[in-house]
Amino acid sequence: MATNNAVNTGLAGQTGTGNFVGATSPALITPNIGTPSAGVLTSCTGLPMSTGVTGGGMVLIATATASNSANIDFTSISNTSYSSYTVVCDNIAPGTNGVYLILRFSQSGVFSSTPSDYTYQNFRFTNAASAVEGAGAGGGATGIAVTSISDTLGNGANQNALVVVNLGNMSNGAFKRVNYQSSFLAASSASLSLVGGASFVANSSAVDGFRFLMNSGNILTGTFYLYGIKNS
C-alpha cells in the first residue's frame, strides 16, 4: 500500500505536508484556509477582538486600573477604526471625600482644561429630591462632571461609583456628542444618587484621547474599560 507521502508526491498540484484528510472530523495542523465562502464560528476560541470583529461590533480596546492615581488616560484613539466609544468606570472611589469625577478630551495630543471647551448639563436624582446642574461654554468648568457636583462622591464604605460614558462623532466635525450616567451613595448624606447628563465639544478638531480625574485629589481605586464600536 502506498504511503501518504508517496501518494502526496505523485499528485499534481498538491500543497502542504502530512496525512491526507477525510471528510468527517479531520484534525488540521496550522492550515491557511484563505477566505472561506461560508462558515459558523460558534465553537471557535481565540478570536482577536481588537482586529477580528468588523461591521459594528463592540471591542474592548483598553483597560486601566486606578491606584491612588492623579488621572486615568486613554490616548491615541483611532477614529478611523471606531465610530463611537463607551467607557465603563467601575468601583470608582476618590482619595478625597466630597469630590466629583471629571472627563477631559485630548485634541492633537493635548488634554484641555479650558472652560470654553466644555459645555454640559446634568440632571440628578436622590432619595429626597431632584435638580438640574451644569455649565455652559466658558462657565468655569475645566471638564465634564460625569458625577454630581452637588451630591459628591465619598470614600466611605460602599460609596464606590459606577459611571458609563458614551461618546460619538469624535472625528473631525462640530458637535461631538457625549452622554453619561452614574450611580453612587453621596458623600454628605449617603443617599442614593443617580446622575444623567449630556455634553458636546463644539469645535472641528478630532478628539484623540480621554482623561478621567477628580476635581480635587486622586482616584483612589477603580477600573476603567474603554470599548469601541468598529466601523463597518
Side-chain angles (χ1 to χ4, degrees), residues 59-63 74 77 85-88 210 224-228:
V59 177
L60 177 60
I61 301 172
T63 302
F74 295 106
I77 300 302
Y85 305 89
T86 293
V87 184
V88 178
F210 311 127
F224 295 75
Y225 304 91
L226 171 64
Y227 295 89

Side-chain angles (χ1 to χ4, degrees), residues 3-4 22 35 53 60 65 94 120 125 133 153-154 166 178 199 214 230 232:
T3 65
N4 281 293
T35 303
V53 177
L60 177 60
T65 300
Y120 73 89
F125 301 86
E133 58 188 31
L153 299 177
N166 300 302
V178 184
S199 177
M214 298 296 174
K230 291 280 285 187
S232 55

Side-chain angles (χ1 to χ4, degrees), residues 95-108:
T96 303
N97 201 54
V99 294
Y100 52 90
L101 186 65
I102 291 174
L103 168 64
R104 288 178 181 165
F105 297 112
S106 166
Q107 294 178 309
S108 300

Side-chain angles (χ1 to χ4, degrees), residues 71-205:
N71 46 261
I72 294 294
D73 292 349
F74 295 106
T75 58
S76 302
I77 300 302
S78 174
N79 293 309
T80 57
S81 298
Y82 304 101
S83 59
S84 58
Y85 305 89
T86 293
V87 184
V88 178
C89 315
D90 191 26
N91 281 322
I92 307 304
T96 303
N97 201 54
V99 294
Y100 52 90
L101 186 65
I102 291 174
L103 168 64
R104 288 178 181 165
F105 297 112
S106 166
Q107 294 178 309
S108 300
V110 178
F111 285 100
S112 173
S113 59
T114 303
S116 59
D117 288 339
Y118 299 103
T119 297
Y120 73 89
Q121 195 72 58
N122 292 350
F123 197 89
R124 60 184 176 87
F125 301 86
T126 69
N127 292 8
S130 60
V132 175
E133 58 188 31
T142 60
I144 301 167
V146 294
T147 61
S148 175
I149 62 175
S150 302
D151 296 307
T152 51
L153 299 177
N155 54 10
N158 302 315
Q159 289 188 312
N160 294 8
L162 172 65
V163 183
V164 179
V165 183
N166 300 302
L167 308 108
N169 193 34
M170 294 292 106
S171 59
N172 286 324
F175 297 104
K176 300 160 191 67
R177 298 173 297 277
V178 184
N179 64 61
Y180 45 90
Q181 52 276 338
S182 58
S183 59
F184 51 92
L185 294 178
S188 58
S189 61
S191 62
L192 180 62
S193 297
L194 174 65
V195 176
S199 177
F200 63 87
V201 181
N203 63 52
S204 60
S205 298

